[in-house]
Amino acid sequence: AQSVSQHNHHVILSEAASLELGCNYSYGGTVNLFWYVQYPGQHLQLLLKYFSEDPLVKGIKGFEAEFIKSKFSFNLRKPSVQWSDTAEYFCAVMGYSSASKIIFGSGTRLSIRP
Amino acid sequence: GAVVSQHPSWVICKSGTSVKIECRSLDFQATTMFWYRQFPKQSLMLMATSNEGSKATYEQGVEKDKFLINHASLTLSTLTVTSAHPEDSSFYICSASLHGPGYTFGSGTRLTVV
């Protein structure tokens, strides 16, 4: 069965610190991987997605993620965070067909100290 | 492109009444739409997959008689919460896809049952 694990429930950083949020998935086949962000009071927005191209994926707002197949991981990174990055971040996995459903991780709350 | 509109954005209803939530794909046709539920400070839980012209596929533990899904056209899916109770209060989110993976999410509907 598909599953996604985000081990960090709450991460607190100071501005300009580097960020890495962990994401591990379980799925028996080729996958698509996503990172979504949910700012306070807003709906989900797609940060970046992996669709079997370059394993290092660059997204919006300076975020990137690296797909490491041998580790079943898709960690999210940003070299220097800003206060405006305070949000909830969700990793998600989906099988490789147009009708597959997206399964979300439990989310990581990121708090940035100004 | 790929905009999903959800209506209403919030609704308050009395216990025992039914509430209908609409999900529309504005600039594309979606043969498949998904309904999620998000509890406060938690991840999105997939409730059901809505297929145009056929019955919805419900996830384990979701009562199909309580959460009625209708996908009568390629641009509209509806979720009706029947005989709502306070424990049904939640944030309901729909998503839809173009041809292939990668989903767009609606802005969500906050349901409060009093």
Side-chain angles (χ1 to χ4, degrees):
Chain A
Q2 291 172 252
S3 68
V4 180
S5 296
Q6 290 181 248
H7 304 293
N8 311 108
H9 298 293
H10 187 193
V11 173
I12 303 173
L13 294 173
S14 298
E15 275 193 305
S18 63
L19 168 72
E20 181 160 2
L21 301 182
C23 173
N24 289 91
Y25 70 93
S26 173
Y27 186 78
T30 305
V31 295
N32 300 292
L33 295 158
F34 307 83
W35 274 98
Y36 288 89
V37 61
Q38 189 173 29
Y39 296 102
Q42 297 187 29
H43 61 91
L44 277 178
Q45 299 175 44
L46 181 66
L47 265 183
L48 49 80
K49 57 188 178 184
Y50 170 77
F51 279 179
S52 77
E53 59 276 12
D54 189 335
L56 183 61
V57 181
K58 294 196 181 296
I60 60 172
K61 304 187 181 186
F63 287 91
E64 65 177 32
E66 184 176 10
F67 171 55
I68 303 179
K69 189 175 181 179
S70 60
K71 296 184 178 180
F72 299 93
S73 70
F74 190 55
N75 293 353
L76 180 71
R77 300 194 293 246
K78 185 171 183 178
S80 177
V81 295
Q82 301 171 306
W83 178 80
S84 58
D85 293 325
T86 296
E88 190 88 20
Y89 291 82
F90 295 96
C91 181
V93 64
M94 187 181 72
Y96 206 65
S97 83
S98 59
S100 292
K101 54 194 179 187
I102 290 182
I103 302 298
F104 286 83
S106 55
T108 297
R109 183 154 62 100
L110 176 63
S111 300
I112 305 298
R113 292 188 291 244
Chain B
V3 176
V4 174
S5 173
Q6 200 170 329
H7 178 80
S9 55
W10 60 271
V11 59
I12 301 173
C13 71
K14 290 185 177 179
S15 187
T17 62
S18 296
V19 174
K20 180 184 284 188
I21 303 169
E22 294 186 347
C23 180
R24 293 180 185 274
S25 56
L26 296 186
D27 51 1
F28 67 102
Q29 294 181 328
T31 55
T32 306
M33 291 185 177
F34 300 83
W35 287 96
Y36 292 84
R37 183 173 180 177
Q38 185 179 28
F39 290 100
K41 299 184 180 181
Q42 294 189 32
S43 186
L44 282 76
M45 300 299 296
L46 179 65
M47 297 176 66
T49 302
S50 172
N51 303 297
E52 188 268 335
S54 64
K55 291 183 179 180
T57 305
Y58 289 82
E59 296 298 302
Q60 194 171 10
V62 177
E63 299 176 58
K64 58 182 69 178
D65 294 331
K66 180 162 190 65
F67 299 100
L68 300 178
I69 291 172
N70 184 278
H71 195 156
S73 78
L74 286 170
T75 59
L76 175 64
S77 175
T78 61
L79 168 69
T80 301
V81 183
T82 63
S83 187
H85 291 285
E87 57 265 29
D88 299 323
S89 298
S90 191
F91 196 56
Y92 294 88
I93 305 171
C94 72
S95 71
S97 76
L98 287 164
H99 304 293
Y103 293 95
T104 301
F105 287 81
S107 54
T109 297
R110 183 164 304 284
L111 170 63
T112 301
V113 185
V114 298

